[in-house]
Amino acid sequence: AKGKVKELFIDAVRLRMVSDVPIGAFLSGGIDSSLVVACMSELSDAPVNTFTISFDEKEYDESVFAQQIASMYKTNHHRMLVKPEEFLYSVEDILASMDMPSGDGPNSYLVAKHTRAAGVKVAMSGLGGDELFAGYSKFLIYKRIMKHRWILQFPKVLRSAIATILTSSAKNPQSLKLGFLLGMNTWDLSTVYPVLRRTYRMDEAQKLLTHPSPSDSVEEKLRTISQTVSRFGEFSQCTVGEMETYTRDVLLRDTDQMSMAHALEVRVPFFDYRLIEYMLSLSDEVKYPHTPKKLLVDALAPRLPVEIYERRKMGFTLPMEQWLKNELAPMVDQKLLYLASRNEFNGAEVLKQWEGFKKGDKRIVWSQVWKLIVLSDWIQRNNL
């Protein structure tokens, strides 16, 4: 398996390096982008152009790890420091670049902006490593939930009572989701995966609306394939859930939209169809013997230093929690007041989200607030 993953991944990188214009790579310093850069360096006669964005907020800044990889592979490295003032200046352009409301993209917009300004027209990205190699924590949670389906044999009235206790005392979104799952009738890909992936659970989203929708299009979509993928291991089932929903409809679409706003093409070797097919065929034990992405790291060893693959996962995100509460707060007030004034929305619930977030309620995360901002702007911008 390690030999096959190595062969497929290196070839996927090789094919995507074919270009008649300058090509570079996004480098966060995580496992996925670092392996893309490592393979590019081996396949290229010239130093690879690498780009990373950094922040003054150290808990979000991965630039030291990116620099370690850049030095190791002698890349032509560019570190761009992004301050909240730049994001505030860019936020209108970011929102204007969306042709439909979506919660992802600002990070891609900023790194694409700086990459294109350096004269690069094509950039390689490490998107897909988490989706294929079970890098997200939700993969392990999904597997544990599916292994405990015997819980559904208990009477629903008992499970619902426990769920009520859990949700009423919940201190974070994870506890709320667990309580919601306990009240369900069935656990399969179509019911469990959407709860784990969504920013807003369906019941939370319904509270924001004056006329809630009775249907759940994501669940309906996954229900049509649940039986087909039930023969896969739980990690592969979760990968299919990612591919059929968030990956295609949010992650890749938003990355493409935000990068093309700067006329930059982004290529994703992890989503080579041959690699996807092979990874779906592997058992969970081979894919994840004891730690996330162990198969990937071992397959491409010794290309990564231990400091890279054993460090805590951070993810490529912006310090939005601090920015929304401080520098961006006036903009948030304006956007959410407008949304709350619309007849389609339960204004009190919309503003309750914002107030709870400002007060530090751990059950409300920044991405929930950001999605409301985006939705408000999209409605207003398009005169709906």
Side-chain angles (χ1 to χ4, degrees):
K2 287 188 282 188
K4 190 65 174 177
V5 167
K6 176 182 176 182
E7 172 195 331
L8 289 172
F9 182 69
I10 292 177
D11 196 53
V13 173
R14 180 188 64 81
L15 287 171
R16 284 158 184 80
M17 288 180 68
V18 177
S19 175
D20 56 2
V21 295
I23 188 168
F26 297 157
L27 177 59
S28 69
I31 291 173
D32 307 326
S33 65
S34 297
L35 285 175
V36 170
V37 169
C39 293
M40 288 179 72
S41 298
E42 293 171 16
L43 295 165
S44 177
D45 295 328
V48 175
N49 291 301
T50 53
F51 300 85
T52 188
I53 55 176
S54 64
F55 312 100
D56 288 330
E57 294 83 359
K58 295 303 178 187
E59 63 269 35
Y60 295 92
D61 186 37
E62 297 182 275
S63 61
V64 63
F65 300 106
Q67 184 60 59
Q68 183 178 357
I69 293 297
S71 299
M72 182 175 176
Y73 289 101
K74 298 179 173 58
T75 72
N76 181 20
H77 191 54
H78 304 76
R79 172 181 173 267
M80 295 82 67
L81 178 64
V82 175
K83 293 182 174 289
E85 293 78 18
E86 179 181 356
F87 185 80
L88 184 61
Y89 177 78
S90 303
V91 70
E92 285 299 319
D93 289 335
I94 292 170
L95 294 169
S97 298
M98 297 182 182
D99 59 5
M100 60 179 280
S102 186
D104 223 331
N107 49 357
S108 297
Y109 181 95
L110 291 173
V111 71
K113 171 186 171 184
H114 288 284
T115 301
R116 186 66 184 87
V120 170
K121 295 184 178 180
V122 177
M124 302 278 262
S125 168
L127 292 177
D130 288 316
E131 288 78 2
L132 284 189
F133 292 88
Y136 293 132
S137 60
K138 70 177 64 63
F139 278 73
L140 200 56
I141 296 170
Y142 179 82
K143 186 176 181 69
R144 288 171 177 166
I145 289 171
M146 300 306 277
K147 293 297 185 187
H148 289 80
R149 276 180 284 190
W150 51 267
I151 291 173
L152 296 180
Q153 296 173 11
F154 288 98
K156 185 173 182 180
V157 62
L158 175 61
R159 289 187 284 112
S160 296
I162 297 172
T164 301
I165 295 171
L166 276 174
T167 51
S168 62
S169 60
K171 298 288 193 299
N172 53 56
Q174 288 73 30
S175 299
L176 288 169
K177 289 179 178 182
L178 180 59
F180 188 74
L181 286 166
L182 278 173
M184 287 182 163
N185 294 321
T186 59
W187 286 352
D188 59 20
L189 178 68
S190 68
T191 57
V192 175
Y193 171 79
V195 174
L196 297 180
R197 166 47 85 179
R198 282 187 169 119
T199 304
Y200 281 104
R201 300 189 316 275
M202 279 299 289
D203 61 315
E204 292 176 317
Q206 305 286 35
K207 288 180 183 178
L208 295 169
L209 303 169
T210 51
H211 300 288
S213 168
S215 63
D216 181 344
S217 58
V218 174
E219 184 175 329
E220 290 169 4
K221 180 187 223 178
L222 292 178
R223 191 180 299 122
T224 63
I225 60 173
S226 284
Q227 189 61 40
T228 304
V229 303
S230 62
R231 60 191 173 88
F232 291 167
E234 281 83 9
F235 290 152
S236 288
Q237 289 180 31
C238 218
T239 293
V240 172
E242 289 285 313
M243 297 285 185
E244 287 296 311
T245 58
Y246 175 76
T247 299
R248 182 179 57 215
D249 300 337
V250 181
L251 183 64
L252 290 176
R253 196 198 66 82
D254 287 359
T255 298
D256 191 53
Q257 186 161 258
M258 292 294 114
S259 60
M260 288 307 294
H262 304 287
L264 177 76
E265 177 190 340
V266 174
R267 297 179 181 177
V268 283
F270 276 106
F271 285 127
D272 185 292
Y273 76 94
R274 299 166 301 167
L275 185 58
I276 293 172
E277 289 175 353
Y278 183 68
M279 288 304 299
L280 288 176
S281 76
L282 294 178
S283 69
D284 288 353
E285 291 69 31
V286 171
K287 198 178 301 183
Y288 193 126
H290 48 74
T291 48
K293 295 197 273 198
K294 173 69 172 169
L295 173 58
L296 176 62
V297 171
D298 286 354
L300 277 299
R303 289 170 176 81
L304 296 184
V306 66
E307 298 90 342
I308 297 297
Y309 62 79
E310 286 196 351
R311 71 182 178 90
R312 181 178 64 87
K313 180 178 176 60
M314 293 176 69
F316 178 36
T317 187
L318 304 174
M320 292 290 282
E321 183 170 354
Q322 290 92 322
W323 292 357
L324 288 174
K325 289 179 179 178
N326 297 290
E327 291 86 354
L328 299 176
M331 180 205 71
V332 182
D333 281 330
Q334 186 268 318
K335 300 291 185 190
L336 296 193
L337 282 170
Y338 172 77
L339 196 68
S341 72
R342 299 277 303 196
N343 293 331
E344 303 92 343
F345 294 90
N346 179 347
E349 195 65 31
V350 170
L351 296 179
K352 181 181 174 183
Q353 289 280 306
W354 177 221
E355 292 303 318
F357 174 74
K358 286 191 291 186
K359 291 176 181 176
D361 187 338
K362 296 299 181 184
R363 295 169 297 179
I364 305 170
V365 295
W366 72 263
S367 54
Q368 292 176 304
V369 176
W370 175 250
K371 285 176 173 60
L372 295 179
I373 294 167
V374 172
L375 182 58
S376 172
D377 179 86
W378 184 78
I379 292 172
Q380 196 168 12
R381 191 178 295 275
N382 290 283
N383 299 312
L384 298 181

